[in-house]
Amino acid sequence: MNRFLIGFIIGVALFHLLDHLPGLRWLSVVLTFPLLWRFKPLHPLVAMAAGAGWSLLNASLILHHQLPLKLERSDLVLEGVVDSLPITQGLLSRFQMQVTSLQDENGESVELSRIQLSWFGATEDLSIGDAWRFKVRLIRPRGAQNPSGFDHEQWLFIQQIQAKGYVRDWAGNSQLESDRLPALLGLLRQRIAKAIDNVSDKPEAAALLKALAVGDKRGMDGQAWQTFTRTGTNHLIAISGLHIGLVAGWCLFTGGWLWRRSARLCQRLPALKAGALFALLGAAVYAALAGFTLPTQRALIMLVATLGALILGYRIQFGRSLLLALFLVVLVDPLAILSRGFWLSFSAVAVILWSIGGRLAPWRDWRQGIQVQLSVSLGLLPLLILFFSQISLISPLVNLLMVPWFSLVLVPMTLIGLPLLVVPAVADPWFSLLLTLSDVTLQLLEWCSLQPFAMTDLAQQDLLLLWFVLAGCLILLLPAGMPGRGLGLLLCLPILFASAERPARGEIWFTLLDVGQGLACVVETSNHLLLYDTGPGHGDRTAAESVIMPFLRSRGHRKIDTLIVSNGDRDHAGGVESLTQSIPTRQLLAGDPEMIDGLAEACLAGSEWRWDGVYFQILHPAANVAYKERNNRSCVLKIESDDWSILLPGDIEQAAEDALLRVNPQQLRSDLVVAPHHGSNSSSTAEFVTAVDPQWVLFSTGYKNSYGFPKPEVVERWQAQGARLLNTADSGAIEFRLVAGEVEPKPRLYRELNQRFWRQGDGDSGNYLRSE
């Protein structure tokens, strides 16, 4: 049985590495595999085929209905039910809906089941279970594709979201009659969250309590998540196995104690088994309050397997329970295997079970708690390096204090306080104390996170070094007294001293990151780093945090030598503040320095410098010329090596292009250019295109952006010049490694390199792709 479960899980995992979805005809092939079951050596193969077949069926059902390309950005009339906790930031609300009806302008039905919407200037407070009619514009579930960082497109697939878009202003937008019964659980969660807000005057502390009570993390801002990440305490904020296990333990003890008060009840059912039933009920209620997230599912399934064995009188095998929980989770939701939390959650439990049953004596005192915590930190090390390219050095120490604090104080007090919310006279003093404790907790965590030794970044390494780390950690987790454990430490050390790959002297590594409708370019030389623009930013959501910083960490960069912000528009300067707070920046130049909070120097024509055999020159704007249009004040940068040149013109329009042509049209000649103003028709005049005469033109645009960039006329002009075109909307991040003596540079297109079957293929964007 164990071999079948393991084979099934492996089959599910391998299926989700495919870059294209096999046809359903393959299911008929899979269905023949049970005929091989009588051959015992083939059992693992049959199990893997079963896992792959189940995943194929699940994925096909999700991807069967897609928004037709011709209806993207078209007006559609939607009727549906809100089925997620709405996230509100200022005037913007984001939420997910189950679709009951979707029609185009001709009244034709469109088959979709779940979508994600944004509503700017929402006229009503949204609640789970509300039914609405909206006029919407939708696109397919597309997300930015970059090396490292958060994969939004994969997250949309895991959530089974088939389209995303926004609500249009329309007189017919209205709330409909709805059946609230299916949404009672979600409404309860939302009302508990609102009740906690009502008794709180400390938003940050209230956000922590809402996360612990009902799994509502909407109030956590970027700064809070950075604090939890740097201290390694994210797992304490998300309701997981630790929290579910605590509730189960309390219910087991309390239920058993109450059961023992009655001799008659004990004669019918032993108190221990009755306590186990109470534990399962309490754990299920808490998991429901958390929204049945993946960690709570895993914990609940493990409890059912473990306590179910106790109730039925079977021997409890924790390893078998973990394997069964793993199997049941991927059976219920095969997409769970794509989640980082899936691997971290199950790995943590596996390490705990190993450390307790493998080499630690039965639980005796606090020293065993230290051993378990150190084992978990060590066991998760390879995954943390693989997923995040960084390690919290103070995590073991902080968790030694915070795990018991959350387990014995914050979580139980929060849950005890929930029924008190119906009696304000009692709830106010209780939550006043609880909010104070939460606030002190957050302040302590923030202080720890600000220590210079709190976190270390590791460059993205090759798989060989990661295998060394994995082998080293497994050796170090062997029981005490086993010979050769010191070898484990030696195997882990190389990754701490390994350096990232760097360009040779005179080479340029240029990466145009995929930041949607915005711009962010990374220029690397052998010993220096330049960042041109920081991408868009809105509130706590910035491309600097989600795209740029993960990329820089993966490349092993710990400082920016020069940051150039071409202009002050939010799609170029939206991440400046976040970026400068996250990484030391030696020099900051800007086309609109007055808009960068006085931190920047003016970017002026004539500035030049040389790094590692690579020449940098500012071509625009001139100090003695003023432009009314902000775009024309953009900082224009020319980069040259012995063999290659790059032109970064920002958002300049015709007036600035004409000025550059008057000064010296020859200096504009470049092998690679990022199209001015994302391909707007106000830029890329015929004269400018002729002067630049590039091999490659790169566009940085959002998928199906509302501006229609790049404009067809602009594309035609660059194509007529003989240039080849690439667009981040189609290709994801684009990287060129410009090496001396190379005849023709070959771009690395991240969407192509990271292709998976659920991603939209090349050419689906409707924008113009490469022309060769």
Side-chain angles (χ1 to χ4, degrees), residues 140-173:
R140 290 188 172 189
R142 192 85 160 193
Q145 287 296 297
N146 294 282
S148 302
F150 179 64
D151 190 338
H152 185 62
E153 193 166 331
Q154 179 174 291
W155 180 86
L156 291 171
F157 177 61
I158 293 172
Q159 301 298 315
Q160 302 185 27
I161 292 171
Q162 297 169 318
K164 63 177 185 175
Y166 62 93
V167 177
R168 297 266 287 157
D169 286 334
W170 182 47
N173 289 340

mmCIF file of all heavy atoms in Angstrom, residues 140-173:
data_model
loop_
_atom_site.group_PDB
_atom_site.id
_atom_site.type_symbol
_atom_site.label_atom_id
_atom_site.label_comp_id
_atom_site.label_asym_id
_atom_site.label_seq_id
_atom_site.Cartn_x
_atom_site.Cartn_y
_atom_site.Cartn_z
ATOM 1 N N ARG A 140 -7.520 36.641 -20.173
ATOM 2 C CA ARG A 140 -7.139 35.328 -19.680
ATOM 3 C C ARG A 140 -6.224 35.472 -18.468
ATOM 4 O O ARG A 140 -5.609 36.523 -18.278
ATOM 5 C CB ARG A 140 -6.444 34.533 -20.790
ATOM 6 C CG ARG A 140 -7.404 34.126 -21.897
ATOM 7 C CD ARG A 140 -6.745 33.166 -22.877
ATOM 8 N NE ARG A 140 -7.710 32.642 -23.830
ATOM 9 C CZ ARG A 140 -7.453 31.655 -24.677
ATOM 10 N NH1 ARG A 140 -6.250 31.085 -24.681
ATOM 11 N NH2 ARG A 140 -8.374 31.222 -25.503
ATOM 12 N N PRO A 141 -6.112 34.423 -17.654
ATOM 13 C CA PRO A 141 -5.339 34.540 -16.402
ATOM 14 C C PRO A 141 -3.839 34.576 -16.649
ATOM 15 O O PRO A 141 -3.133 33.573 -16.541
ATOM 16 C CB PRO A 141 -5.757 33.285 -15.625
ATOM 17 C CG PRO A 141 -6.170 32.306 -16.662
ATOM 18 C CD PRO A 141 -6.779 33.115 -17.773
ATOM 19 N N ARG A 142 -3.348 35.735 -16.977
ATOM 20 C CA ARG A 142 -1.943 35.943 -17.330
ATOM 21 C C ARG A 142 -1.230 36.576 -16.156
ATOM 22 O O ARG A 142 -1.791 37.396 -15.433
ATOM 23 C CB ARG A 142 -1.865 36.857 -18.541
ATOM 24 C CG ARG A 142 -0.512 36.959 -19.200
ATOM 25 C CD ARG A 142 -0.307 35.850 -20.191
ATOM 26 N NE ARG A 142 0.741 36.183 -21.145
ATOM 27 C CZ ARG A 142 0.975 35.513 -22.260
ATOM 28 N NH1 ARG A 142 0.236 34.464 -22.549
ATOM 29 N NH2 ARG A 142 1.935 35.855 -23.078
ATOM 30 N N GLY A 143 0.032 36.245 -15.960
ATOM 31 C CA GLY A 143 0.832 36.838 -14.894
ATOM 32 C C GLY A 143 2.253 37.060 -15.363
ATOM 33 O O GLY A 143 2.719 36.440 -16.329
ATOM 34 N N ALA A 144 2.955 37.955 -14.697
ATOM 35 C CA ALA A 144 4.349 38.238 -15.054
ATOM 36 C C ALA A 144 5.201 36.988 -14.881
ATOM 37 O O ALA A 144 4.983 36.185 -13.973
ATOM 38 C CB ALA A 144 4.890 39.371 -14.186
ATOM 39 N N GLN A 145 6.194 36.843 -15.774
ATOM 40 C CA GLN A 145 7.097 35.695 -15.740
ATOM 41 C C GLN A 145 8.537 36.184 -15.620
ATOM 42 O O GLN A 145 9.060 36.812 -16.548
ATOM 43 C CB GLN A 145 6.924 34.852 -16.999
ATOM 44 C CG GLN A 145 5.640 34.050 -17.029
ATOM 45 C CD GLN A 145 5.602 33.009 -15.924
ATOM 46 O OE1 GLN A 145 6.404 32.092 -15.875
ATOM 47 N NE2 GLN A 145 4.677 33.180 -14.994
ATOM 48 N N ASN A 146 9.144 35.906 -14.469
ATOM 49 C CA ASN A 146 10.506 36.357 -14.187
ATOM 50 C C ASN A 146 11.281 35.274 -13.459
ATOM 51 O O ASN A 146 10.689 34.438 -12.768
ATOM 52 C CB ASN A 146 10.476 37.612 -13.296
ATOM 53 C CG ASN A 146 9.861 38.795 -13.990
ATOM 54 O OD1 ASN A 146 10.485 39.446 -14.810
ATOM 55 N ND2 ASN A 146 8.605 39.086 -13.664
ATOM 56 N N PRO A 147 12.610 35.289 -13.607
ATOM 57 C CA PRO A 147 13.419 34.390 -12.785
ATOM 58 C C PRO A 147 13.233 34.751 -11.307
ATOM 59 O O PRO A 147 13.340 35.919 -10.936
ATOM 60 C CB PRO A 147 14.863 34.686 -13.238
ATOM 61 C CG PRO A 147 14.729 35.361 -14.561
ATOM 62 C CD PRO A 147 13.433 36.089 -14.524
ATOM 63 N N SER A 148 12.911 33.776 -10.475
ATOM 64 C CA SER A 148 12.656 33.999 -9.048
ATOM 65 C C SER A 148 11.391 34.847 -8.886
ATOM 66 O O SER A 148 10.759 35.264 -9.841
ATOM 67 C CB SER A 148 13.852 34.660 -8.367
ATOM 68 O OG SER A 148 15.013 33.865 -8.537
ATOM 69 N N GLY A 149 11.043 35.110 -7.644
ATOM 70 C CA GLY A 149 9.871 35.917 -7.376
ATOM 71 C C GLY A 149 8.583 35.113 -7.423
ATOM 72 O O GLY A 149 8.562 33.924 -7.734
ATOM 73 N N PHE A 150 7.498 35.789 -7.130
ATOM 74 C CA PHE A 150 6.180 35.174 -7.040
ATOM 75 C C PHE A 150 5.626 34.902 -8.419
ATOM 76 O O PHE A 150 5.623 35.779 -9.289
ATOM 77 C CB PHE A 150 5.247 36.093 -6.253
ATOM 78 C CG PHE A 150 3.844 35.570 -6.110
ATOM 79 C CD1 PHE A 150 3.587 34.408 -5.412
ATOM 80 C CD2 PHE A 150 2.773 36.240 -6.690
ATOM 81 C CE1 PHE A 150 2.293 33.922 -5.270
ATOM 82 C CE2 PHE A 150 1.478 35.778 -6.560
ATOM 83 C CZ PHE A 150 1.247 34.601 -5.848
ATOM 84 N N ASP A 151 5.157 33.685 -8.645
ATOM 85 C CA ASP A 151 4.577 33.292 -9.926
ATOM 86 C C ASP A 151 3.062 33.464 -9.845
ATOM 87 O O ASP A 151 2.331 32.563 -9.455
ATOM 88 C CB ASP A 151 4.953 31.843 -10.234
ATOM 89 C CG ASP A 151 4.595 31.441 -11.662
ATOM 90 O OD1 ASP A 151 3.708 32.100 -12.256
ATOM 91 O OD2 ASP A 151 5.187 30.480 -12.179
ATOM 92 N N HIS A 152 2.597 34.643 -10.239
ATOM 93 C CA HIS A 152 1.173 34.963 -10.116
ATOM 94 C C HIS A 152 0.328 34.102 -11.048
ATOM 95 O O HIS A 152 -0.799 33.705 -10.697
ATOM 96 C CB HIS A 152 0.951 36.443 -10.425
ATOM 97 C CG HIS A 152 -0.458 36.903 -10.223
ATOM 98 N ND1 HIS A 152 -1.085 36.869 -8.996
ATOM 99 C CD2 HIS A 152 -1.388 37.382 -11.097
ATOM 100 C CE1 HIS A 152 -2.324 37.325 -9.112
ATOM 101 N NE2 HIS A 152 -2.528 37.635 -10.369
ATOM 102 N N GLU A 153 0.845 33.793 -12.222
ATOM 103 C CA GLU A 153 0.074 32.994 -13.171
ATOM 104 C C GLU A 153 -0.151 31.586 -12.634
ATOM 105 O O GLU A 153 -1.237 31.014 -12.799
ATOM 106 C CB GLU A 153 0.811 32.950 -14.508
ATOM 107 C CG GLU A 153 -0.026 32.416 -15.635
ATOM 108 C CD GLU A 153 0.595 32.692 -16.992
ATOM 109 O OE1 GLU A 153 1.319 33.697 -17.127
ATOM 110 O OE2 GLU A 153 0.360 31.900 -17.920
ATOM 111 N N GLN A 154 0.869 31.017 -11.988
ATOM 112 C CA GLN A 154 0.707 29.696 -11.379
ATOM 113 C C GLN A 154 -0.290 29.756 -10.232
ATOM 114 O O GLN A 154 -1.116 28.852 -10.061
ATOM 115 C CB GLN A 154 2.058 29.191 -10.878
ATOM 116 C CG GLN A 154 1.991 27.829 -10.200
ATOM 117 C CD GLN A 154 3.372 27.293 -9.857
ATOM 118 O OE1 GLN A 154 4.148 26.951 -10.725
ATOM 119 N NE2 GLN A 154 3.689 27.237 -8.560
ATOM 120 N N TRP A 155 -0.238 30.836 -9.444
ATOM 121 C CA TRP A 155 -1.182 30.989 -8.329
ATOM 122 C C TRP A 155 -2.616 31.044 -8.854
ATOM 123 O O TRP A 155 -3.528 30.438 -8.270
ATOM 124 C CB TRP A 155 -0.854 32.252 -7.546
ATOM 125 C CG TRP A 155 -1.761 32.491 -6.392
ATOM 126 C CD1 TRP A 155 -1.637 31.984 -5.127
ATOM 127 C CD2 TRP A 155 -2.951 33.297 -6.381
ATOM 128 N NE1 TRP A 155 -2.674 32.415 -4.337
ATOM 129 C CE2 TRP A 155 -3.494 33.223 -5.071
ATOM 130 C CE3 TRP A 155 -3.595 34.066 -7.333
ATOM 131 C CZ2 TRP A 155 -4.655 33.903 -4.719
ATOM 132 C CZ3 TRP A 155 -4.753 34.739 -6.981
ATOM 133 C CH2 TRP A 155 -5.262 34.657 -5.684
ATOM 134 N N LEU A 156 -2.841 31.760 -9.962
ATOM 135 C CA LEU A 156 -4.178 31.833 -10.544
ATOM 136 C C LEU A 156 -4.663 30.451 -10.963
ATOM 137 O O LEU A 156 -5.845 30.110 -10.795
ATOM 138 C CB LEU A 156 -4.177 32.782 -11.750
ATOM 139 C CG LEU A 156 -3.976 34.272 -11.461
ATOM 140 C CD1 LEU A 156 -3.767 35.039 -12.767
ATOM 141 C CD2 LEU A 156 -5.153 34.845 -10.692
ATOM 142 N N PHE A 157 -3.765 29.643 -11.510
ATOM 143 C CA PHE A 157 -4.137 28.288 -11.924
ATOM 144 C C PHE A 157 -4.478 27.435 -10.706
ATOM 145 O O PHE A 157 -5.461 26.683 -10.717
ATOM 146 C CB PHE A 157 -2.987 27.670 -12.710
ATOM 147 C CG PHE A 157 -3.233 26.248 -13.138
ATOM 148 C CD1 PHE A 157 -4.287 25.931 -13.976
ATOM 149 C CD2 PHE A 157 -2.408 25.228 -12.700
ATOM 150 C CE1 PHE A 157 -4.525 24.624 -14.376
ATOM 151 C CE2 PHE A 157 -2.633 23.922 -13.092
ATOM 152 C CZ PHE A 157 -3.689 23.613 -13.935
ATOM 153 N N ILE A 158 -3.682 27.562 -9.642
ATOM 154 C CA ILE A 158 -3.955 26.795 -8.420
ATOM 155 C C ILE A 158 -5.329 27.165 -7.866
ATOM 156 O O ILE A 158 -6.067 26.312 -7.365
ATOM 157 C CB ILE A 158 -2.854 27.048 -7.363
ATOM 158 C CG1 ILE A 158 -1.529 26.460 -7.844
ATOM 159 C CG2 ILE A 158 -3.231 26.436 -6.018
ATOM 160 C CD1 ILE A 158 -0.348 26.822 -6.967
ATOM 161 N N GLN A 159 -5.688 28.449 -7.961
ATOM 162 C CA GLN A 159 -6.985 28.914 -7.481
ATOM 163 C C GLN A 159 -8.123 28.613 -8.459
ATOM 164 O O GLN A 159 -9.264 28.959 -8.187
ATOM 165 C CB GLN A 159 -6.942 30.430 -7.220
ATOM 166 C CG GLN A 159 -5.902 30.865 -6.200
ATOM 167 C CD GLN A 159 -6.144 30.272 -4.843
ATOM 168 O OE1 GLN A 159 -7.270 30.270 -4.363
ATOM 169 N NE2 GLN A 159 -5.103 29.756 -4.213
ATOM 170 N N GLN A 160 -7.774 27.997 -9.593
ATOM 171 C CA GLN A 160 -8.746 27.621 -10.620
ATOM 172 C C GLN A 160 -9.497 28.841 -11.163
ATOM 173 O O GLN A 160 -10.702 28.789 -11.458
ATOM 174 C CB GLN A 160 -9.717 26.561 -10.094
ATOM 175 C CG GLN A 160 -9.020 25.300 -9.616
ATOM 176 C CD GLN A 160 -9.968 24.198 -9.202
ATOM 177 O OE1 GLN A 160 -11.089 24.124 -9.680
ATOM 178 N NE2 GLN A 160 -9.519 23.336 -8.307
ATOM 179 N N ILE A 161 -8.766 29.938 -11.299
ATOM 180 C CA ILE A 161 -9.333 31.164 -11.855
ATOM 181 C C ILE A 161 -9.140 31.140 -13.366
ATOM 182 O O ILE A 161 -8.020 31.008 -13.856
ATOM 183 C CB ILE A 161 -8.665 32.402 -11.221
ATOM 184 C CG1 ILE A 161 -9.069 32.492 -9.750
ATOM 185 C CG2 ILE A 161 -9.043 33.671 -11.978
ATOM 186 C CD1 ILE A 161 -8.324 33.528 -8.963
ATOM 187 N N GLN A 162 -10.232 31.269 -14.106
ATOM 188 C CA GLN A 162 -10.193 31.114 -15.555
ATOM 189 C C GLN A 162 -10.109 32.434 -16.310
ATOM 190 O O GLN A 162 -9.887 32.437 -17.522
ATOM 191 C CB GLN A 162 -11.426 30.331 -16.011
ATOM 192 C CG GLN A 162 -11.455 28.912 -15.437
ATOM 193 C CD GLN A 162 -12.785 28.230 -15.660
ATOM 194 O OE1 GLN A 162 -13.834 28.834 -15.494
ATOM 195 N NE2 GLN A 162 -12.748 26.961 -16.040
ATOM 196 N N ALA A 163 -10.306 33.551 -15.621
ATOM 197 C CA ALA A 163 -10.163 34.863 -16.241
ATOM 198 C C ALA A 163 -10.053 35.891 -15.130
ATOM 199 O O ALA A 163 -10.456 35.645 -13.983
ATOM 200 C CB ALA A 163 -11.350 35.190 -17.146
ATOM 201 N N LYS A 164 -9.497 37.042 -15.457
ATOM 202 C CA LYS A 164 -9.438 38.143 -14.500
ATOM 203 C C LYS A 164 -9.729 39.442 -15.231
ATOM 204 O O LYS A 164 -9.561 39.544 -16.455
ATOM 205 C CB LYS A 164 -8.075 38.202 -13.814
ATOM 206 C CG LYS A 164 -6.902 38.478 -14.740
ATOM 207 C CD LYS A 164 -5.605 38.580 -13.954
ATOM 208 C CE LYS A 164 -4.448 38.970 -14.858
ATOM 209 N NZ LYS A 164 -3.195 39.186 -14.105
ATOM 210 N N GLY A 165 -10.187 40.440 -14.477
ATOM 211 C CA GLY A 165 -10.534 41.690 -15.124
ATOM 212 C C GLY A 165 -11.053 42.700 -14.133
ATOM 213 O O GLY A 165 -10.733 42.647 -12.935
ATOM 214 N N TYR A 166 -11.882 43.621 -14.612
ATOM 215 C CA TYR A 166 -12.362 44.700 -13.750
ATOM 216 C C TYR A 166 -13.812 45.042 -14.070
ATOM 217 O O TYR A 166 -14.320 44.750 -15.157
ATOM 218 C CB TYR A 166 -11.467 45.936 -13.889
ATOM 219 C CG TYR A 166 -11.429 46.554 -15.276
ATOM 220 C CD1 TYR A 166 -12.288 47.596 -15.621
ATOM 221 C CD2 TYR A 166 -10.529 46.091 -16.236
ATOM 222 C CE1 TYR A 166 -12.248 48.167 -16.879
ATOM 223 C CE2 TYR A 166 -10.478 46.651 -17.496
ATOM 224 C CZ TYR A 166 -11.338 47.689 -17.815
ATOM 225 O OH TYR A 166 -11.299 48.252 -19.067
ATOM 226 N N VAL A 167 -14.457 45.670 -13.086
ATOM 227 C CA VAL A 167 -15.858 46.088 -13.223
ATOM 228 C C VAL A 167 -15.918 47.438 -13.929
ATOM 229 O O VAL A 167 -15.193 48.371 -13.576
ATOM 230 C CB VAL A 167 -16.529 46.180 -11.834
ATOM 231 C CG1 VAL A 167 -17.962 46.682 -11.970
ATOM 232 C CG2 VAL A 167 -16.491 44.822 -11.144
ATOM 233 N N ARG A 168 -16.782 47.537 -14.922
ATOM 234 C CA ARG A 168 -16.958 48.782 -15.670
ATOM 235 C C ARG A 168 -18.052 49.635 -15.026
ATOM 236 O O ARG A 168 -18.973 49.113 -14.382
ATOM 237 C CB ARG A 168 -17.381 48.454 -17.106
ATOM 238 C CG ARG A 168 -16.354 47.666 -17.882
ATOM 239 C CD ARG A 168 -15.468 48.573 -18.691
ATOM 240 N NE ARG A 168 -16.208 49.112 -19.821
ATOM 241 C CZ ARG A 168 -15.885 50.245 -20.463
ATOM 242 N NH1 ARG A 168 -14.876 50.964 -20.037
ATOM 243 N NH2 ARG A 168 -16.582 50.661 -21.490
ATOM 244 N N ASP A 169 -17.936 50.949 -15.195
ATOM 245 C CA ASP A 169 -19.028 51.836 -14.785
ATOM 246 C C ASP A 169 -20.242 51.553 -15.678
ATOM 247 O O ASP A 169 -20.148 51.621 -16.915
ATOM 248 C CB ASP A 169 -18.609 53.301 -14.930
ATOM 249 C CG ASP A 169 -17.628 53.710 -13.846
ATOM 250 O OD1 ASP A 169 -17.648 53.093 -12.770
ATOM 251 O OD2 ASP A 169 -16.827 54.635 -14.087
ATOM 252 N N TRP A 170 -21.374 51.252 -15.044
ATOM 253 C CA TRP A 170 -22.568 50.870 -15.799
ATOM 254 C C TRP A 170 -23.778 51.050 -14.904
ATOM 255 O O TRP A 170 -23.762 50.657 -13.727
ATOM 256 C CB TRP A 170 -22.441 49.412 -16.259
ATOM 257 C CG TRP A 170 -23.565 48.883 -17.081
ATOM 258 C CD1 TRP A 170 -24.157 49.478 -18.143
ATOM 259 C CD2 TRP A 170 -24.223 47.620 -16.910
ATOM 260 N NE1 TRP A 170 -25.137 48.663 -18.660
ATOM 261 C CE2 TRP A 170 -25.200 47.517 -17.927
ATOM 262 C CE3 TRP A 170 -24.077 46.564 -16.010
ATOM 263 C CZ2 TRP A 170 -26.039 46.418 -18.056
ATOM 264 C CZ3 TRP A 170 -24.902 45.458 -16.146
ATOM 265 C CH2 TRP A 170 -25.858 45.388 -17.150
ATOM 266 N N ALA A 171 -24.812 51.617 -15.443
ATOM 267 C CA ALA A 171 -26.020 51.848 -14.652
ATOM 268 C C ALA A 171 -26.649 50.539 -14.195
ATOM 269 O O ALA A 171 -27.382 50.499 -13.201
ATOM 270 C CB ALA A 171 -27.033 52.662 -15.471
ATOM 271 N N GLY A 172 -26.366 49.450 -14.909
ATOM 272 C CA GLY A 172 -26.968 48.161 -14.573
ATOM 273 C C GLY A 172 -26.227 47.373 -13.511
ATOM 274 O O GLY A 172 -26.679 46.281 -13.117
ATOM 275 N N ASN A 173 -25.083 47.888 -13.019
ATOM 276 C CA ASN A 173 -24.384 47.200 -11.925
ATOM 277 C C ASN A 173 -25.291 47.175 -10.706
ATOM 278 O O ASN A 173 -25.683 48.229 -10.186
ATOM 279 C CB ASN A 173 -23.082 47.915 -11.570
ATOM 280 C CG ASN A 173 -22.023 47.761 -12.653
ATOM 281 O OD1 ASN A 173 -22.097 46.848 -13.472
ATOM 282 N ND2 ASN A 173 -21.038 48.648 -12.648
#
